[in-house]
Amino acid sequence: PQYRKAQSLPLPNSGTPPLVVTALPGSGPFVSGGVYTIAPGSRLPLFVLLDATAPGTYEGTLQLETSDPNLATVSIPLSVKVR
């Protein structure tokens, strides 16, 4: 059987210019991707899909590239337990 679940992560923009975020393909059983433009002072949901084939603990990393020169790349560790 397949174990699939989507979860959204809020992507905020607390800066003054629009923020462009590119979600690179996730590692492990996590699937994401796309390019998002976030208006100043707002947030958008980034959806991450878990695509597992059996119960167990799964770990991976979500990589983001942004237009923020102070935070050009972001790595978000992901972990989930499927029962």
Side-chain angles (χ1 to χ4, degrees):
Q2 286 289 97
Y3 298 88
R4 290 187 173 183
K5 178 161 175 105
Q7 181 70 38
S8 68
L9 302 171
L11 294 178
N13 179 6
S14 59
T16 52
L19 179 66
V20 179
V21 176
T22 302
L24 303 175
S27 69
F30 300 99
V31 180
S32 188
V35 178
Y36 305 83
T37 301
I38 307 168
S42 65
R43 65 178 57 202
L44 289 177
L46 168 65
F47 287 93
V48 178
L49 174 69
L50 168 69
D51 191 7
T53 57
T57 300
Y58 295 92
E59 296 182 351
T61 304
L62 178 63
Q63 298 285 334
L64 304 177
E65 293 180 346
T66 80
S67 61
D68 183 340
N70 297 316
L71 201 57
T73 58
V74 178
S75 295
I76 302 171
L78 302 172
S79 180
V80 66
K81 185 171 188 170
V82 175
R83 298 176 194 210

